[in-house]
């Protein structure tokens, strides 16, 4: 059994992971609403002007602006009403001198007209409209192409599609769009002690946690987990499943990275990939490894708190980069430590806490306890060169996402 | 045509909306991974201890701790190796005085033993194990129930299920879980000018944007949009579609709330619901209304920037409350205003900006332009009693989510 001889600092491990991620190149076409939260894989250029015509920005009367000059509250100008255009209608009307057309917000401005007089600045009687306020050319008219011009690059390749972007695509008439395919990530829990939740548990066995936490983190970060059956502590079985897993975009093992089993797993993986690191100066999550062959391969620790912490710290940014999503914007709140806590010198600790009334209460139990994370609101980071956080000290709590 | 006589302040409008939301009561059963991001609809109590047995926390030898007392680097204590227990195995072994059992991390602690000596503190030869370091009872043993105790309430009803919570459910063997059903929200775009994206556009028509932005916001906040065909500007059609829409949990109209059409829509809605407000002191998004009958009904403005802003400000928190999701944690960054901008006194403005090198550049065009939002990274809020933001003034930019 080999000890961990080369623990590397957290920042180095994260950098190495990210340097070794290859963003997805494959593209798929999805519906407009199916593109929400995805990443655009093509430049989208508008083939139309938006709006496609000059339109009224308010309800009123379309006029030639110059005919309104000099109008006042006690000196209205009179216009002959020659028609009406509703929103969505097209009519061949030409507005001449002294003429006006009743127009609804959003309706196409008739030829000849260059302004709209608001309905509240007018009155209408027997086909005559009196205008009590002058307007300048362009008043309450939204010009053709005001929003988007034909030929404009509306959204660039690589853009994350949020609701405003989906709206811009709709505005130019796009109903389908090319996005990058989601990374498909093989999840391989290993260990003879594991039982699938829902099944009967026997003496000496425990329920598999890591498959579900790893898969959740993958799903939260734009990937699709592909869950494998349990890998047995047996070279042949590891190799068979690894070869199949390498058909996917990334591979994540869990368990089999403690001193007992890791040699077996690492030995097999080493035939297909170069081990980039094995062991990180963090707590929980020390016995993690990462390898790169054709695909990036993670070896997550078997202990649930270690595995989930490593999933957040290494797997999540890797999946996001592969999916071409922007880095996660962390949510951090300040709090005061409710109790003095100690940490291990030489390892950066992700110490989980519960928040209450502005105080952070220790939630961390052990790396084997999923409740170390499940009963917490987030974590504080205690640097490797520090072993103490004092009571009442201000801390930054990194919140789990929601 | 009735003017807006009773514009209400933004905070009042938001409070009224939230007061009138009834959280979903219906429950559905989903798979464990299907529960990610959902809200638990039952208290989950553990029927087992986790771990279900005392187990080794490290690889080593299970011993009676007292037999190791006095061991030292030059004075090892000798133990008779009487067996081996691997992770996942169960063996009937009893560890007596001076005896030890080889044990793997996670394996069940044999009877009689109360501690584990780490492998690095031992050597083994011909069935004799020498221990070079004393251990106290419980050393490197994770006691039964250390993580979760049988009968513990593991997760409370109403909890948002993030990856750590999914992990805790897995740990106690849960494969299906009851969550609140997602709100189903009827989306009814109205206006004779609308064309579905992807179809051919005729003169005087524009592509429908609001259906896609409203639906995106609903999806981002835990709801399911149910998209209706366009509502025509016609009482009968409005009533027919409204009655059908009232079968869903919430109803969102868009368009038909400008001075021109809104009377028609509001008149019909008033037969089924009480109008809570009509017109809000904000820009963009002033001509919005909200009504409550059996269901909450929104009337969003037709202009795309107004509609989307109102969707973020009113619809999103309403959908989240209905879905029982925690309020969105806003992502806010500080920046300096790159240019002096002016606003309208008396209306709170959501002024969109682009971020670059720590500066916020104006992105806002008009309420009719979807690019007012699509070409921005977020918005600043200019209060109703202010009409100016100076160049270089520090501003808080609320980022669109991703």
């Amino acid at each position: 059994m080999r000890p961990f001889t080369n623990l590397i600092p957290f920042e180095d491990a994260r950098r190495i992971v990210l340097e070794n991620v290859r963003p997805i190149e494959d593209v798929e076409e999805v519906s407009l609403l199916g593109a929400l939260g995805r990443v655009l894989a093509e430049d989208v250029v508008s083939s139309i002007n938006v709006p496609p015509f000059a339109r009224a920005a308010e309800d009123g009367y379309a006029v030639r602006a110059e005919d309104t000059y000099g109008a006042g509250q006690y000196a209205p100008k009179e216009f002959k009403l020659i028609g009406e255009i509703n929103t969505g209608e097209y009519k061949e009307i030409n507005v001449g001198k002294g003429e006006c057309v009743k127009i609804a917000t959003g309706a196409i401005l008739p030829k000849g007209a260059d302004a709209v007089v608001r309905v509240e600045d007018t009155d209408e009687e027997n086909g005559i409209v009196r205008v009590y306020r002058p307007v300048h050319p362009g008043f309450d008219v939204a010009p053709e192409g005001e929003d988007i011009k034909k030929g404009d690059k509306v959204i660039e390749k690589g853009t994350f599609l949020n609701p405003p972007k989906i709206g811009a695509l709709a505005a130019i008439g796009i109903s389908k769009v090319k996005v990058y395919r989601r990374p498909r990530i093989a999840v391989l829990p290993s260990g003879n002690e594991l039982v699938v939740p829902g099944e009967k548990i026997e003496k000496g066995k425990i329920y598999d946690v890591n498959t579900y936490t790893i898969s959740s983190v993958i799903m939260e970060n734009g990937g699709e987990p592909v869950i494998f059956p349990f890998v047995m502590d047996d070279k042949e079985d590891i190799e068979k499943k690894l070869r199949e897993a390498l058909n996917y975009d990334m591979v994540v093992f869990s368990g089999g990275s403690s001193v007992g089993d890791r040699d077996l797993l690492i030995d097999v993986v080493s035939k297909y990939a170069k081990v980039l690191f094995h062991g990180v100066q963090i707590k929980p999550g020390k016995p993690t490894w990462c390898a790169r062959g054709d695909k990036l391969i993670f070896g997550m620790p078997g202990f649930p708190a270690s595995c989930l912490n490593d999933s957040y710290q290494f797997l999540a940014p890797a999946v996001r980069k592969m999916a071409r999503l922007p880095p996660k914007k962390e949510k951090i709140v300040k709090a005061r430590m409710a109790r003095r806590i100690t940490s291990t010198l030489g390892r950066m600790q992700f110490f989980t806490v519960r928040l209450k009334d502005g105080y952070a209460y220790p939630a961390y139990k052990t790396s084997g306890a999923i409740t170390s994370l499940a009963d917490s609101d987030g974590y504080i980071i205690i640097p490797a060169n520090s072993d103490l956080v004092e009571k009442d000290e201000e801390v930054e709590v990194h919140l789990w996402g929601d």
Side-chain angles (χ1 to χ4, degrees), chain A:
Chain A
M1 285 180 281
R2 289 168 244 156
F4 293 103
T5 47
N6 286 303
L7 294 188
I8 65 170
F10 171 69
E11 292 76 11
D12 291 355
R14 181 127 85 173
R15 181 183 45 75
I16 290 169
V17 165
L18 288 175
E19 280 171 6
N20 281 279
V21 171
R22 291 195 208 113
I24 290 284
E25 300 288 347
D26 296 354
V27 162
E28 61 189 19
E29 196 172 68
V30 294
S31 72
L32 187 53
L33 279 179
L36 180 68
R38 305 291 296 270
V39 177
L40 193 65
E42 57 183 346
D43 286 338
V44 172
V45 172
S46 182
S47 62
I48 59 166
N49 283 315
V50 180
F53 45 82
R55 66 184 177 189
E58 295 279 346
D59 294 326
Y61 297 91
V63 295
R64 297 166 12 140
E66 60 180 43
D67 299 348
T68 67
Y69 297 167
Q73 208 178 339
Y74 304 104
K77 295 275 178 185
E78 291 197 345
F79 291 78
K80 186 181 170 202
L81 183 62
I82 60 165
E84 179 173 359
I85 306 181
N86 284 312
T87 315
E89 275 182 355
Y90 176 72
K91 282 181 183 166
E92 280 285 354
I93 306 183
N94 205 17
V95 178
K97 191 172 166 54
E99 292 176 343
C100 72
V101 167
K102 191 170 180 181
I103 194 164
T105 305
I108 190 166
L109 197 73
K111 269 186 206 144
D114 60 2
V116 171
V117 181
R118 292 188 187 179
V119 70
E120 55 262 39
D121 296 324
T122 64
D123 60 34
E124 182 189 329
E125 206 177 5
N126 300 327
I128 298 297
V129 175
R130 278 183 216 92
V131 169
Y132 294 89
R133 212 182 122 185
V135 290
H136 58 74
F139 188 81
D140 274 342
V141 171
E144 179 175 343
E146 180 192 50
D147 191 355
I148 298 167
K149 288 195 173 48
K150 187 173 169 172
D152 276 358
K153 192 190 284 179
V154 178
I155 313 185
E156 277 193 359
K157 185 174 168 169
T159 300
F160 176 80
L161 297 172
N162 63 12
K165 309 279 187 208
I166 295 291
L169 293 171
I172 60 172
I174 301 250
S175 61
K176 283 175 186 166
V177 76
K178 290 197 173 69
V179 296
Y180 290 105
R181 157 171 89 61
R182 287 199 180 95
R184 286 192 283 267
I185 299 174
V187 178
L188 295 97
S190 82
N192 296 333
E193 76 278 23
L194 299 182
V195 176
V196 173
E199 293 187 6
K200 200 177 154 328
I201 199 164
E202 281 162 29
K203 266 193 176 169
K205 310 273 185 192
I206 54 166
Y207 285 114
D208 172 28
V209 171
N210 296 342
T211 293
Y212 303 94
T213 51
I214 290 171
S215 297
S216 296
V217 168
I218 290 170
M219 289 159 67
E220 276 199 339
N221 290 285
E224 285 176 9
V226 179
I227 297 173
F228 275 58
F230 297 137
V231 179
M232 294 297 112
D233 292 343
D234 150 347
K235 256 191 178 162
E236 222 166 279
D237 192 55
I238 294 172
E239 185 152 6
K240 183 170 155 279
K241 296 215 169 84
L242 173 62
R243 290 169 68 108
E244 199 188 324
L246 287 170
N247 291 320
Y248 296 93
D249 299 307
M250 203 189 280
V251 179
V252 187
F253 285 96
S254 79
S257 73
S258 66
V259 183
D261 322 302
R262 69 191 154 117
D263 290 350
L264 208 58
L265 194 48
I266 284 265
D267 281 350
V268 177
V269 167
S270 300
K271 291 171 62 177
Y272 296 85
K274 181 174 168 260
V275 175
L276 302 170
F277 60 81
H278 185 183
V280 186
Q281 291 162 14
I282 56 173
K283 181 181 177 184
K286 179 181 73 169
T288 192
W289 54 262
C290 184
R292 180 111 193 67
D294 258 9
K295 307 290 167 64
L296 197 63
I297 309 174
F298 280 103
M300 295 293 178
F303 275 158
S306 306
C307 177
L308 180 48
N309 189 56
D310 284 340
S311 297
Y312 275 118
Q313 302 305 333
F314 301 113
L315 179 60
V319 174
R320 293 187 82 83
K321 184 173 177 190
M322 184 167 253
R324 296 172 181 267
L325 293 173
K328 191 123 189 162
K329 295 188 191 77
E330 277 206 280
K331 290 163 202 156
I332 295 176
V333 295
K334 292 200 155 92
R336 295 200 171 274
M337 206 62 217
R339 282 205 340 242
R340 183 179 196 258
I341 54 168
T342 57
S343 169
T344 314
L345 266 184
R347 279 163 75 188
M348 177 193 268
Q349 183 158 6
F350 298 88
F351 189 91
T352 53
V353 295
R354 261 183 302 277
L355 285 170
K356 204 184 161 195
D357 304 329
Y359 278 87
Y361 291 82
Y364 193 76
K365 290 163 112 175
T366 70
S367 59
I370 183 64
T371 50
S372 291
L373 282 85
D375 290 348
S376 76
D377 295 306
Y379 61 87
I380 63 169
I381 294 176
I382 310 175
N385 63 2
S386 169
D387 62 352
L388 190 70
V389 180
E390 291 288 358
K391 181 169 187 297
D392 288 323
E393 195 174 322
E394 190 178 81
V395 290
E396 291 197 328
V397 180
H398 301 245
L399 301 176
W400 307 125
D402 63 26

